[in-house]
Amino acid sequence: MKLETEFRLCLERQKLEWAFRAPCEVFPSQENYIPPQKFTASSWVKLVELPSPFCADEALLLCQCSESQWLAWLPDYGEILLEVDQFTEQ
């Protein structure tokens, strides 16, 4: 009986926590929603188009310059500024 009461109280507390959360935490609106970044520094990505026919088709992300640009290092090419739509995850 005591376990059942504790379980019921736990469920009630969980319902209250959900009820008092800010609406944008539960259901983010379009203008406030920032999608999670799937790219991180020091990760290798696959290039969609090669800047030179003699360079590798993978790049190492060094740092994010803006929401849509990354500084990357490309073997046999050097540093390059890439737009997010120019590469994909491996």
Side-chain angles (χ1 to χ4, degrees):
M1 187 71 173
K2 183 179 178 183
L3 185 61
E4 183 180 329
T5 305
E6 287 180 22
F7 183 70
R8 190 178 303 125
L9 288 173
C10 183
L11 285 176
E12 290 299 318
R13 187 187 73 212
Q14 188 177 22
K15 287 180 193 175
L16 286 172
E17 286 175 358
W18 278 96
F20 286 108
R21 282 193 180 176
C24 65
E25 286 181 34
V26 180
F27 302 106
S29 63
Q30 283 297 93
E31 64 265 0
N32 294 337
Y33 181 68
I34 299 171
Q37 282 287 6
K38 60 181 177 181
F39 303 112
T40 58
S42 301
S43 60
W44 287 92
V45 293
K46 190 91 164 160
L47 296 178
V48 176
E49 260 183 62
L50 300 179
S52 164
F54 305 107
C55 66
D57 63 345
E58 297 175 341
L60 178 66
L61 296 179
L62 301 175
C63 67
Q64 189 171 9
C65 299
S66 70
E67 286 184 18
S68 63
Q69 291 183 328
W70 280 83
L71 181 64
W73 177 76
L74 199 55
D76 300 325
Y77 187 84
E79 288 185 356
I80 185 170
L81 192 60
L82 295 172
E83 295 289 329
V84 175
D85 59 354
Q86 291 179 302
F87 57 88
T88 60
E89 286 182 290
Q90 283 193 324

